[in-house]
Amino acid sequence: QVQLVESGGGLVQAGGSLRLSCAASERTFTSYAMGWFRQAPGKEREFLAAISWSGGSTFYADSVKGRFTISRDIAKNTVYLQMNSLKPEDTAVYYCAAKWGPFHTYAGGYNHWGQGTQVTVSS
């Protein structure tokens, strides 16, 4: 079982950038596909991006394509979400998720979750 801890959230002005980090337990990291999700108050948890266990394949939601980049550093057991050109509608709690095997683009496909990190984008 992999354990996940997100960090890097905060307050940023519209048009700014943040990089979120997700630290995972070692040894199992390379066996898991990873995803980033977000959830705003009163909303369903929304898929943002996913990366394969090898890091060779990525997939993005249309809402963030071209603005967000997911990557992983195997040596550091860490997954990142680089967020550029942030908009007020990006305000949400951001979650890192993991599952064994291929990635999914829906929350129900993941069974390991971090605690979340708040991202607030001001206008």
Side-chain angles (χ1 to χ4, degrees):
Q1 182 171 331
V2 63
Q3 294 126 29
L4 308 172
V5 179
E6 302 99 331
S7 62
L11 176 64
V12 64
Q13 291 185 343
S17 298
L18 285 173
R19 188 177 75 161
L20 306 183
S21 298
C22 173
S25 56
E26 60 184 328
R27 293 177 181 163
T28 61
F29 184 64
T30 58
S31 299
Y32 286 78
M34 307 294 297
W36 282 99
F37 294 77
R38 67 187 179 192
Q39 189 165 22
K43 304 292 185 180
E44 294 290 315
R45 192 161 294 188
E46 176 189 9
F47 169 78
L48 300 175
I51 190 166
S52 64
W53 68 269
S54 67
S57 298
T58 59
F59 189 84
Y60 297 91
D62 288 342
S63 60
V64 303
K65 194 175 298 181
R67 298 192 298 127
F68 291 10
T69 302
I70 188 171
S71 61
R72 67 193 305 166
D73 187 328
I74 295 174
K76 294 182 178 180
N77 298 318
T78 300
V79 176
Y80 303 97
L81 186 69
Q82 178 66 46
M83 306 187 296
N84 299 324
S85 302
L86 285 163
K87 308 172 183 179
E89 51 263 45
D90 293 320
T91 296
V93 177
Y94 283 67
Y95 296 92
C96 178
K99 66 173 293 291
W100 188 86
F103 64 76
H104 296 297
T105 59
Y106 60 98
Y110 295 81
N111 59 343
H112 304 284
W113 294 86
Q115 83 289 348
T117 185
Q118 176 71 45
V119 172
T120 302
V121 184
S122 62
S123 60

